[in-house]
Amino acid sequence: EVTITKHTVDLDANPFVPDDWKVEEHIKGGQFEFDPAKVALYLDDQQEGGVIVGNKLCKKLKGRPVYNANLLDFYLKHPNLIPEEWKGKAIFFWGTIYRILRGDLYVRYLFWSGGGGWRWSIYWLGHSFNGGDPAAVPASN
């Protein structure tokens, strides 16, 4: 008999905050009963075949449902649940924006580092985001 483990991700909890960072924005998302079918990848029109600056993309995503960094950290604890097709992409969790270093804004992302497995890093909102940089969003099904 196969036991299906149910996972609930608390998208209302305070996100992980490294030393000397501040949370600029954290969009809460309630208690999310994890289902991989409920997580989709979204690209803005400008990212398809082109680039968009992160600050502009952040503004365009305002009001759209996006997952926060709590889901990123859940994936890192359960890498077996990360879809294989995410390898080679940087998956951004726009629901949590951090202010770090000299006061610049950053967003965390999940990526496959080959031998190192799944890891997270940050990307400055002043940089360009392209077609390999989708946002993790709720699936519309």
Side-chain angles (χ1 to χ4, degrees):
E1 188 176 314
V2 177
T3 319
I4 307 285
T5 307
K6 293 234 186 255
H7 297 284
T8 302
V9 184
D10 186 356
L11 298 175
D12 282 350
N14 291 331
F16 165 70
V17 184
D19 290 344
D20 300 329
W21 292 23
K22 291 182 178 69
V23 174
E24 179 74 10
E25 180 177 31
H26 184 65
I27 300 166
K28 296 183 175 187
Q31 301 302 307
F32 174 52
E33 191 170 297
F34 180 78
D35 174 351
K38 291 182 184 170
V39 182
L41 299 183
Y42 169 80
L43 288 174
D44 183 75
D45 295 341
Q46 286 184 259
Q47 287 177 278
E48 302 203 32
V51 297
I52 182 172
V53 173
N55 289 308
K56 186 174 178 190
L57 180 56
C58 191
K59 283 189 182 84
K60 289 180 85 173
L61 290 171
K62 285 269 186 275
R64 291 187 80 98
V66 288
Y67 284 117
N68 64 40
N70 295 3
L71 184 58
L72 183 160
D73 291 319
F74 167 81
Y75 276 125
L76 289 173
K77 287 187 188 94
H78 305 278
N80 56 308
L81 299 175
I82 301 173
E84 191 68 22
E85 60 270 19
W86 286 16
K87 288 182 179 174
K89 297 181 174 89
I91 313 299
F92 285 85
F93 293 80
W94 285 94
T96 308
I97 304 294
Y98 296 92
R99 189 174 289 281
I100 70 172
L101 303 172
R102 302 172 310 278
D104 292 332
L105 296 177
Y106 287 80
V107 61
R108 287 175 65 206
Y109 66 94
L110 181 68
F111 71 100
W112 174 253
S113 73
W118 288 98
R119 299 193 181 284
W120 69 269
S121 189
I122 56 170
Y123 205 65
W124 177 46
L125 296 197
H127 281 309
S128 295
F129 290 71
N130 64 31
D133 304 325
V137 300
S140 53
N141 48 13

